[in-house]
Amino acid sequence: MLVSLAGFVVGALLGGRLGITMAGVARRRWLLSVAVMEAGLCFVAVWGAIGYDMDTLTPVPTLYMLIVLTAAAMGLRNATVRRLAVLDLTTTVLTLTLTASVADSTLAGGNNPWLGRRLAAVLAIFAGSAVGAVLVSLGGLTPPLMVTGACILCVTLAYSAHPASKTLPGDTHR
């Protein structure tokens, strides 16, 4: 647990520094930089996962390398998402999105203005989890890590074509 927390903190530190360093540039450049680093961490993990034995969790140094690389990628992502400050689109706090959906629902007396986006985020998280589970069961750690790295790059490239990617990182989008 301490190893994963340390890797996460290093990634969050890197993401925070990068966010400050790139505060004056368009989101496109900033997010492409982050995507290349995050995907790079996943691709290095792919290299490490080749031949890794999930049944015996050996070799142990490889296990720790995989933990640190993926935790650092998640820390980098969290720091980036935090700096983006897009309401209700947190990548790692599924419960916050579900809470917002229920607390703002008509049953609670609200009008749930962003219900579609919230539900889409929840469904995307569940779909990603299902795909990841299938890939792990079919081929071990290498396929899901490869798909993750590729998806990070593809989604960021698709976003970079959107007009919002030309804004500065401090601008908020609801």
Side-chain angles (χ1 to χ4, degrees), residues 23-39:
V25 301
R27 284 177 190 255
R28 175 181 297 158
R29 182 169 168 214
W30 174 47
L31 291 176
L32 286 172
S33 298
V34 170
V36 166
M37 287 189 287
E38 185 181 357

Side-chain angles (χ1 to χ4, degrees), residues 29-90:
R29 182 169 168 214
W30 174 47
L31 291 176
L32 286 172
S33 298
V34 170
V36 166
M37 287 189 287
E38 185 181 357
L41 290 167
C42 289
F43 293 141
V44 172
V46 165
W47 172 75
I50 295 171
Y52 180 72
D53 188 347
M54 289 185 4
D55 293 328
T56 63
L57 302 178
T58 56
V60 173
T62 301
L63 172 64
Y64 284 112
M65 179 191 74
L66 294 171
I67 290 170
V68 168
L69 290 169
T70 55
M74 289 190 309
L76 179 63
R77 176 181 299 162
N78 273 329
T80 302
V81 168
R82 181 179 174 276
R83 184 149 318 252
L84 283 173
V86 177
L87 186 64
D88 295 323
L89 290 182
T90 55

